[in-house]
Amino acid sequence: MEERGDLRSVLPLLPLVMRDSSHSWPRRVLEALKAKSTGPELSLSRPRRVLEALKAKSTGPELSLSWPRRVLEALKAMSRGPEFSGLSNGHVLFDAIADLRKQLGFSDDNLATDSGHGYSLFFDDLMSGEESIKWFGETLPSMACLLMHLPSLLEAHYRDCDKSREIEERGLPIGTGLRVLESQEAGMVVLSQELIGALLACSFFCLFPSIGRSFRNLPTINFDYLFVSIHNSYSPSQKHKIKCLVHYFERICSCMPMGFVSFERKVLPLNGSSLHISYPKTDFWSKSIVELCPFKVLHSGVIEDQPYEALEVDFANQYFGGGALHRGCVQEEIRFMINPELIVGMLFAPRMEDNEALEIVGAERFCNYRGYASTFVFSGNYVDHKPLDIRGRRRTRIVAIDALCHPGIQQYGADCLLRETNKAFCGFMDHSKCHQYMNIFKEGKLQDLDNGAHAAISKTEDDSGIKARNCSDREAEATACSTSTTAMNRSTQVTDLFEEAKLKNDQGLNCCENVGIATGNWGCGAFGGDHELKSMIQWLAASQALRPFLVYYTVGDKATKRLEQVQEWISSHYWTVGDLWNMMVEYSSQRYQGTTNIGFFDWLLPCL
């Protein structure tokens, strides 16, 4: 165990210690066993399994993961219930947490100030008597039992990773063991839902060391700041975030799910690579002849309820999870509360750089909710009926991409425009098929792909669409008439495509090779981005990534009221990614220089 590079990278972040497994044998017995194993005349009379065990003991001590003895004793007492442990209220619970941390040597690694008051407030005042009896009598003892098994769960995890190393089409082995997914290093971690449950129980009990995490660009992982948030400047939304997590623990403690969840760091290398698509330059986009993929605008519904087989966009912070364990309660934070298994990624995924994204497959949804931000409310249990893939993961795919925060006028600069487009492209691209992308883009033309992605349609010779923003009213009417039939046919084809995708998903027939994009106002709202520009950036990024479709949820935002109209007009003229990119560059240049201050849609189609 001690020789594993993956374990070595993450061990300083865990509350466990490495111990000599030979300590389980009394010293004199161990010496006798070693002596016996060296005698060839005795080995012939031993059963084979006994002989193998003796030989293993003679090769020297083997290190294994374990809890410190006093911590294990405290967890054992806790697992026997409140009658034995005395844990029956929030105040005593926090005292037990503080004692566990002291036994782990974290006495100088202080928790957030007033976090104890937060635990007391929630479990003693905000939780009903009936809920409290169930929590302290059933759930908490089960969580303690789960924590006791964390060392064995981790050791089994590493053994299983060795047995089932994933193989790329190029024949290269990929380790999937728990480790820090270091910046600029593409890789994947695959965890069982049971192991995730145990790690999140560590978060609840604040057992992860926090010193050194900021140095490694890792976000908060313990729950102390979350509980502080309900004590200082109390808000109902924070209480309901905790209720989501409490519900999660109640669910897994009553019936442990046995699937898997994968966390993948996706990287567009800044330097040239023969195995990966490098971080694109402007020419890559301006010369692209990839046709824009089908685009569907929905004014109701939310991304997590999308009925298609699609990669669901997490409007992420550069630190995965954002304010999920603090006071945040917008799109990303809400997703982490209803799919709590996402939180474990905060343990080992450092801050995302401009050329990186994170993709998570298999996170189960446990909670229903309503509202947003200050009106967020946990509204009960959610049963996730998503089927499992061949690796035991739920077919829920989430991609975390972080937009520029409050970019202001700078978002119209060439560097920022390229950064946002490449960020979306990094997240939307299927990096397991890099060689296919590279062959296609290198040839300068598109071919039909085995993965079912859309193929290009030759660019139309009629460039009236490009000129539309300069047309007169009469010219606009003529243009609209000449393209109405094309637009109607195009719309019908797109509708059929989405209906087929929904039907296949309902029947469990879709495969991972026909996965579209489900997104919305990424980088807008709290991040202050331009709604119209961001929608177009995501469209061309999804298209260049050869995704078969994009579904856009406006959530009733008035800033995107013309999106459907503009999208239909562009689609009817069969624009390529290059066409749209070049128009965005021209508009952004004018906006940046102050020669225009109107929105992209009005600038592009003033007479539509």
Side-chain angles (χ1 to χ4, degrees):
M1 287 289 291
E2 71 276 13
E3 296 178 355
R4 301 189 63 101
D6 45 13
L7 176 58
R8 282 201 310 271
S9 77
V10 78
L11 187 58
L13 307 177
L14 299 175
L16 304 177
V17 295
M18 296 292 288
R19 288 193 183 280
D20 183 347
S21 59
S22 64
H23 288 172
S24 59
W25 294 83
R27 180 177 57 83
R28 292 183 179 179
V29 173
L30 181 61
E31 290 173 354
L33 289 172
K34 286 182 178 181
K36 293 289 186 182
S37 68
T38 59
E41 69 283 355
L42 293 177
S43 65
L44 295 175
S45 64
R46 298 284 184 182
R48 180 177 57 83
R49 291 183 180 178
V50 174
L51 181 61
E52 290 175 353
L54 293 174
K55 287 182 177 180
K57 289 293 178 183
S58 70
T59 60
E62 179 181 347
L63 298 181
S64 61
L65 293 167
S66 68
W67 288 104
R69 180 177 58 83
R70 291 186 177 180
V71 172
L72 185 59
E73 290 173 354
L75 291 175
K76 285 181 179 178
M78 200 180 299
S79 70
R80 297 176 64 177
E83 296 83 2
F84 189 86
S85 66
L87 288 179
S88 59
N89 60 66
H91 178 76
V92 177
L93 170 60
F94 186 76
D95 285 345
I97 290 173
D99 185 62
L100 287 171
R101 289 177 56 80
K102 183 177 180 180
Q103 299 304 328
L104 288 167
F106 298 161
S107 55
D108 294 328
D109 183 9
N110 296 324
L111 294 173
T113 305
D114 292 332
S115 53
H117 295 300
Y119 277 86
S120 297
L121 175 62
F122 184 84
F123 290 106
D124 298 340
D125 298 332
L126 302 180
M127 180 178 271
S128 70
E130 183 179 352
E131 291 170 333
S132 180
I133 291 173
K134 180 180 179 181
W135 174 260
F136 288 102
E138 300 176 20
T139 306
L140 201 64
S142 296
M143 290 171 65
C145 188
L146 186 59
L147 280 173
M148 289 167 55
H149 290 95
L150 176 59
S152 59
L153 288 171
L154 275 169
E155 292 180 353
H157 160 75
Y158 286 116
R159 286 196 301 270
D160 291 343
C161 287
D162 289 340
K163 293 177 183 177
S164 58
R165 294 175 72 87
E166 294 194 23
I167 305 297
E168 279 190 331
E169 293 180 17
R170 294 189 298 276
L172 299 176
I174 305 175
T176 59
L178 176 61
R179 65 193 185 282
V180 176
L181 289 175
E182 298 287 2
S183 181
Q184 305 304 320
E185 295 181 11
M188 181 184 292
V189 167
V190 181
L191 305 175
S192 71
Q193 289 182 274
E194 185 176 15
L195 176 54
I196 291 174
L199 291 169
L200 291 183
C202 284
S203 292
F204 175 85
F205 285 98
C206 302
L207 300 182
F208 289 114
S210 55
I211 290 179
R213 290 188 62 83
S214 60
F215 178 76
R216 301 183 71 170
N217 293 318
L218 289 162
T220 299
I221 186 62
N222 290 323
F223 287 3
D224 51 327
Y225 282 98
L226 181 60
F227 279 92
V228 164
S229 68
I230 62 169
H231 177 262
N232 300 333
S233 304
Y234 169 80
S235 69
S237 62
Q238 295 302 112
K239 175 187 72 173
H240 285 280
K241 286 171 61 178
I242 297 175
K243 291 185 75 170
C244 288
L245 298 176
V246 165
H247 177 71
Y248 162 74
F249 286 120
E250 290 174 345
R251 278 276 305 273
I252 67 168
C253 288
S254 63
C255 182
M256 179 62 70
M258 301 307 294
F260 294 86
V261 183
S262 65
F263 298 79
E264 178 187 4
R265 181 175 288 271
K266 305 166 81 169
V267 182
L268 292 174
L270 297 175
N271 300 318
S273 170
S274 60
L275 298 178
H276 302 281
I277 293 179
S278 300
Y279 192 78
K281 307 297 184 183
T282 54
D283 280 355
F284 175 88
W285 295 105
S286 65
K287 296 178 180 179
S288 173
I289 61 168
V290 177
E291 185 200 0
L292 293 168
C293 69
F295 187 124
K296 187 180 183 70
V297 180
L298 296 174
H299 298 290
S300 62
V302 288
I303 293 171
E304 59 269 21
D305 292 333
Q306 58 86 21
Y308 312 100
E309 188 83 0
L311 187 60
E312 301 167 6
V313 178
D314 164 19
F315 305 164
N317 187 287
Q318 61 179 337
Y319 287 92
F320 186 53
L325 300 183
H326 289 261
R327 298 193 61 83
C329 197
V330 288
Q331 198 257 13
E332 179 174 39
E333 291 84 0
I334 290 174
R335 194 67 200 262
F336 274 56
M337 294 303 107
I338 64 175
N339 295 71
E341 291 165 333
L342 294 171
I343 296 172
V344 79
M346 299 168 71
L347 173 65
F348 53 80
R351 179 186 65 203
M352 289 183 281
E353 301 298 336
D354 290 346
N355 62 328
E356 297 179 319
L358 292 169
E359 182 173 333
I360 306 91
V361 181
E364 183 173 350
R365 180 174 172 182
F366 290 85
C367 304
N368 269 315
Y369 78 98
R370 64 179 184 272
Y372 189 81
S374 62
T375 64
F376 172 76
V377 172
F378 164 72
S379 60
N381 185 49
Y382 180 91
V383 179
D384 195 333
H385 293 293
K386 288 282 185 72
L388 303 181
D389 65 13
I390 59 174
R391 295 169 180 163
R393 304 173 300 181
R394 289 194 180 274
R395 291 215 312 247
T396 297
R397 302 172 178 86
I398 299 169
V399 62
I401 51 176
D402 58 300
L404 293 169
C405 189
H406 302 297
I409 194 64
Q410 297 300 321
Q411 68 185 302
Y412 303 106
D415 290 343
C416 289
L417 184 63
L418 181 63
R419 187 270 185 198
E420 297 294 79
T421 305
N422 285 344
K423 172 65 72 167
F425 179 57
C426 179
F428 295 169
M429 190 174 71
D430 184 346
H431 288 241
S432 69
K433 296 182 171 61
C434 275
H435 62 293
Q436 288 181 300
Y437 288 107
M438 293 173 74
N439 289 337
I440 293 165
F441 299 150
K442 189 180 297 182
E443 293 172 3
K445 62 182 180 179
L446 289 177
Q447 303 168 347
D448 287 334
L449 296 182
D450 291 336
N451 69 353
H454 67 285
I457 298 176
S458 298
K459 182 181 177 182
T460 177
E461 295 180 0
D462 179 8
D463 63 351
S464 59
I466 304 286
K467 300 176 181 177
R469 66 184 185 84
N470 296 318
C471 65
S472 65
D473 290 346
R474 183 173 298 176
E475 289 171 334
E477 184 178 352
T479 299
C481 290
S482 67
T483 60
S484 60
T485 301
T486 303
M488 186 176 297
N489 291 337
R490 174 76 168 180
S491 178
T492 300
Q493 293 171 358
V494 170
T495 299
D496 292 343
L497 181 148
F498 281 99
E499 289 301 320
E500 180 182 3
K502 182 179 183 302
L503 179 62
K504 285 184 177 181
N505 190 51
D506 290 343
Q507 297 175 344
L509 300 177
N510 266 333
C511 66
C512 60
E513 297 176 339
N514 290 306
V515 178
I517 302 293
T519 189
N521 301 322
W522 169 64
C524 307
F527 274 52
D530 183 318
H531 290 73
E532 297 180 0
L533 206 59
K534 282 293 198 294
S535 64
M536 297 295 101
I537 284 173
Q538 293 183 87
W539 190 10
L540 61 84
S543 303
Q544 189 71 24
L546 304 178
R547 293 292 180 175
F549 62 84
L550 183 144
V551 186
Y552 195 100
Y553 290 87
T554 68
V555 293
D557 197 312
K558 295 180 180 179
T560 55
K561 63 182 179 181
R562 292 192 64 197
L563 175 59
E564 188 170 12
Q565 189 180 23
V566 171
Q567 169 268 316
E568 289 177 352
W569 189 93
I570 292 175
S571 295
S572 70
H573 287 82
Y574 298 101
W575 276 19
T576 64
V577 167
D579 293 334
L580 181 55
W581 168 264
N582 290 328
M583 296 304 289
M584 289 168 54
V585 168
E586 183 179 346
Y587 165 76
S588 296
S589 176
Q590 293 183 20
R591 188 71 184 267
Y592 188 73
Q593 295 170 9
T595 57
T596 185
N597 62 357
I598 62 175
F600 178 64
F601 294 166
D602 286 336
W603 177 88
L604 179 68
L605 301 171
C607 48
L608 186 62

